[in-house]
Amino acid sequence: ESHFNQVQDRGEALVMDRHPATKTVEAYTNAMQTQWSWLLQLSMCLETHMRHAASYHQFYERGRECEHWLNSQTEKMNTYFNREHVTLDDGERYLREIQSVRDDMAHYQNQIDQLVSDSRDVVPLKVRGQRQTRPRRVTALCAYKQLSMSIAKGEECIMLDNFQKTKWNIRNSNGMEGLVPAVCFLIPPPDEEAIGYANLIKRQLEELKRLWTDRQRQLKKHMIFATIKIVKSWDINQFR
């Protein structure tokens, strides 16, 4: 940027000094300014895409963390807490441990609820690389102007096709059509895949809750039977 500013300042000085090649210098400096403005706009577009990409990956990282915990606890419910018989001492320990899982579930309930809410704002990044067979709404991240096409920043347009990876066939709000660099556009939410993923995790949590209730009830029943067994083993002297 500093080098560009130096060249621009030098060009303006030559024009002010009425250099013999003033018109040529002006033409070059104007062209440089146009290209520089375009590069700044492209940089802004790339920053926006990078920000959405980071949010996209963070969303799925959070989802995988929740999934891992749900799977591990479901496995624990089906093995460690799935007891046919328990002693009173073991039963009390299992009940304390299973209550601890219930406390953790409250934490993950908040995490998963937030995940479901955030899923509605996830940008469908995968769609950018998939060939589209139908028109799709897109939003311009920067202004774009050519002889046969003019688009304003924030303008809602229609992507007619993305058969070319770097340029999309776009129809602007005035009905004008043309090829425009794909980097200039954002495919807005929702991302159906992200929404489906979050809802799947929520269903897994609901299934874990059901399983937890069954195992806790089962442990309490085993403790009742263990207590009856102990009482039945007492003789008359122990009742005195």
Side-chain angles (χ1 to χ4, degrees), residues 12-229:
E12 291 176 3
L14 291 173
V15 172
M16 292 294 293
D17 292 339
R18 296 183 180 180
H19 189 277
T22 294
K23 290 185 177 180
T24 301
V25 172
E26 285 183 330
Y28 274 109
T29 55
N30 288 339
M32 285 180 60
Q33 184 62 55
T34 299
Q35 291 300 314
W36 183 251
S37 297
W38 176 236
L39 285 174
L40 290 178
Q41 289 197 91
L42 288 180
S43 297
M44 180 189 65
C45 293
L46 288 173
E47 287 177 3
T48 301
H49 288 304
M50 291 293 289
R51 186 170 64 252
H52 284 300
S55 297
Y56 179 92
H57 291 295
Q58 287 170 5
F59 170 82
Y60 278 99
E61 283 177 7
R62 288 159 53 203
R64 284 190 292 271
E65 179 191 348
C66 292
E67 247 188 329
H68 176 74
W69 184 83
L70 289 168
N71 290 337
S72 65
Q73 297 307 310
T74 298
E75 176 68 18
K76 200 171 183 179
M77 291 296 158
N78 287 324
T79 54
Y80 182 73
F81 290 114
N82 189 17
R83 303 284 174 168
E84 292 186 2
H85 304 284
V86 295
T87 64
L88 279 179
D89 290 339
D90 286 344
E92 290 177 357
R93 175 167 56 83
Y94 289 140
L95 284 175
R96 286 195 301 270
E97 291 176 357
I98 204 171
Q99 182 57 45
S100 177
V101 175
R102 187 70 180 86
D103 295 340
D104 289 340
M105 271 198 290
H107 166 74
Y108 277 94
Q109 174 77 66
N110 293 333
Q111 296 293 316
I112 293 170
D113 286 345
Q114 188 62 52
L115 199 71
V116 171
S117 176
D118 292 346
S119 69
R120 295 189 286 268
D121 298 322
V122 174
V123 170
L125 291 186
K126 284 186 178 181
V127 174
R128 296 186 70 87
Q130 297 170 348
R131 187 166 180 174
Q132 300 302 299
T133 58
R134 58 181 178 80
R136 192 178 187 107
R137 182 172 60 88
V138 295
T139 303
L141 295 175
C142 67
Y144 179 83
K145 188 173 184 180
Q146 290 294 329
L147 294 176
S148 59
M149 173 65 79
S150 178
I151 295 172
K153 181 180 178 180
E155 184 174 345
E156 297 292 326
C157 302
I158 300 296
M159 176 179 65
L160 300 175
D161 67 65
N162 62 342
F163 298 160
Q164 295 187 38
K165 289 185 177 180
T166 58
K167 288 187 177 183
W168 291 349
N169 189 17
I170 297 292
R171 178 191 297 141
N172 68 9
S173 57
N174 294 323
M176 300 169 63
E177 297 181 9
L179 290 174
V180 183
V183 71
C184 298
F185 296 97
L186 174 74
I187 300 177
D191 182 352
E192 297 301 331
E193 184 175 326
I195 291 174
Y197 179 60
N199 286 329
L200 174 63
I201 293 175
K202 186 173 183 178
R203 289 194 296 272
Q204 287 178 305
L205 176 62
E206 295 304 318
E207 175 60 22
L208 177 60
K209 287 180 181 179
R210 184 197 63 77
L211 196 56
W212 182 91
T213 301
D214 289 345
R215 292 295 176 263
Q216 187 200 44
R217 186 182 295 118
Q218 183 184 58
L219 286 171
K220 287 182 176 181
K221 185 173 71 172
H222 287 333
M223 288 187 68
I224 291 172
F225 288 143
T227 302
I228 293 173
K229 184 177 181 181

